[in-house]
C-alpha cells in the first residue's frame, strides 16, 4: 500500500490527535504505557538481525531497542506523518540514521519490500498500537506474514485490568477513549488462534494485575 493509498480517515485522525500530543507523548505515556521496556529486553535480537516495529510513534521504542542491540537493523512503520516527524528527529538526534529506517504506512496492509527493501524480519513488535488500530486483527496477520523463519512477534498492550478495582477500570477506559484507544478484550484469543493456524509457539503473560498483556509468537 502506497502513502497515497493510506486510509485517509484514520491517518487524518491520528495526525489530529498527535499533532500537538507528540511533543509531550513520551513524557506523559511513561506513567501508563507499562511493559514496553520488558518487551524490548525480551526481543533477544540475533547479531546482525532485523527488527520491525509496527506503530512506531515517536520512535521511543526503536531508539531504546537500537541502543540495546547495536548490531541490529531497525525499521519503523506508522500511519501518522506527525508522529514520524518526531521519530525521525529522535533517531537523528541519537545518531541512529544509519541503523534505523522509518516509513509511513498502514500496519494492517503494507508492503515491507517496497517500503524498506526488506521482506522478512527476525523480530516484529507492536507496543500499545493494536488498541488504536481499526481492524487490528489484520495487523497481527500482517506481522506474522513478514516474520523470517525462526523469528518472533512481540506484543504489549492494555489488558482488561481484570485484577484491578472496577472504579480504576472505568476511570482508565474513560481516559483512553479521549485518545481513541480501546483495549482489545479478544487479543489473547486472536493471538492464540493465529499461533495455532501457523503452527507457531505462543507465550502470554498478564502484567500488573491485568493492566497490560504481553505476548510472544514464535515462528518455526
Amino acid at each position: 500500500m502506497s502513502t497515497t493509498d493510506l486510509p485517509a480517515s484514520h491517518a487524518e485522525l491520528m495526525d489530529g490527535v498527535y499533532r500537538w500530543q507528540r511533543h509531550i507523548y513520551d513524557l506523559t505515556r511513561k506513567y501508563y504505557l507499562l511493559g514496553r521496556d520488558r518487551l524490548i529486553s525480551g526481543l533477544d535480537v540475533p547479531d546482525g538481525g532485523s527488527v520491525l516495529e509496527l506503530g512506531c510513534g515517536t520512535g521511543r521504542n526503536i531508539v531504546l531497542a537500537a541502543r540495546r542491540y547495536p548490531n541490529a537493523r531497525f525499521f519503523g512503520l506508522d500511519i501518522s506523518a506527525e508522529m514520524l516527524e518526531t521519530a525521525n528527529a529522535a533517531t537523528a538526534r541519537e545518531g541512529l540514521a544509519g541503523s534505523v529506517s522509518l516509513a509511513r504506512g498502514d500496519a494492517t496492509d503494507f508492503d515491507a519490500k517496497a517500503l524498506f527493501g526488506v521482506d522478512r524480519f527476525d523480530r516484529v513488535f507492536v507496543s500499545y498500537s493494536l488498541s488504536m488500530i481499526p481492524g487490528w486483527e489484520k495487523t497481527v496477520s500482517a506481522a506474522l506474514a513478514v516474520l523470517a523463519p525462526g523469528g518472533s512477534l512481540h506484543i504489549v498492550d492494555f489488558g482488561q485490568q481484570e485484577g484491578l478495582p472496577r472504579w480504576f477500570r472505568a476511570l482508565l477506559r474513560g481516559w483512553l477513549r479521549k485518545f481513541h484507544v480501546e483495549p482489545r478484550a479478544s487479543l489473547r484469543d486472536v493471538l492464540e488462534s493465529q499461533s495455532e493456524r501457523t503452527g507457531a509457539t505462543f507465550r502470554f503473560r498478564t502484567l500488573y494485575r491485568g493492566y497490560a498483556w504481553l505476548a510472544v509468537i514464535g515462528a518455526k
Side-chain angles (χ1 to χ4, degrees):
M1 178 174 284
S2 70
T3 301
T4 55
D5 294 330
L6 291 173
S9 59
H10 188 56
E12 290 170 1
L13 175 64
M14 291 298 98
D15 278 343
V17 169
Y18 292 117
R19 181 163 290 115
W20 305 113
Q21 279 285 319
R22 64 191 175 93
H23 298 294
I24 60 170
Y25 185 92
D26 291 333
L27 178 64
T28 58
R29 268 56 176 187
K30 70 179 180 179
Y31 296 109
Y32 65 92
L33 298 188
L34 308 179
R36 294 180 296 172
D37 293 348
R38 185 175 298 199
L39 179 151
I40 291 170
S41 66
L43 288 174
D44 193 24
V45 183
D47 195 48
S50 56
V51 183
L52 170 66
E53 181 180 12
L54 298 176
C56 64
T58 63
R60 180 262 188 196
N61 295 325
I62 280 185
V63 166
L64 291 180
R67 289 177 185 163
R68 187 177 184 93
Y69 307 102
N71 296 321
R73 295 171 298 146
F74 289 86
F75 305 86
L77 181 76
D78 204 280
I79 202 169
S80 169
E82 296 287 342
M83 283 298 224
L84 284 173
E85 183 178 338
T86 297
N88 275 305
T91 55
R93 187 168 57 248
E94 295 290 328
L96 298 171
S99 58
V100 176
S101 298
L102 304 174
R104 191 177 183 215
D106 180 2
T108 68
D109 182 16
F110 60 92
D111 184 338
K113 185 70 172 179
L115 291 171
F116 302 115
V118 178
D119 55 7
R120 290 290 184 272
F121 303 87
D122 298 297
R123 302 288 184 267
V124 179
F125 71 96
V126 192
S127 171
Y128 285 96
S129 292
L130 295 181
S131 51
M132 301 188 70
I133 297 175
W136 60 273
E137 299 92 342
K138 294 179 181 178
T139 297
V140 176
S141 298
L144 292 173
V146 297
L147 276 184
S152 53
L153 167 62
H154 301 247
I155 293 171
V156 66
D157 215 313
F158 292 105
Q160 293 297 293
Q161 300 84 47
E162 55 270 27
L164 295 168
R166 183 177 300 178
W167 65 263
F168 180 87
R169 296 199 300 270
L171 187 65
L172 178 65
R173 297 302 179 90
W175 171 255
L176 294 177
R177 280 193 292 272
K178 294 178 183 294
F179 302 98
H180 306 279
V181 175
E182 180 65 35
R184 307 305 187 185
S186 61
L187 178 60
R188 180 172 187 168
D189 292 339
V190 168
L191 297 180
E192 193 164 19
S193 175
Q194 289 278 25
S195 300
E196 292 174 355
R197 179 184 63 82
T198 59
T201 61
F202 178 62
R203 289 181 286 144
F204 185 90
R205 294 188 63 182
T206 61
L207 305 177
Y208 316 112
R209 298 171 64 187
Y211 181 92
W213 289 346
L214 178 65
V216 180
I217 298 177
K220 289 186 175 180

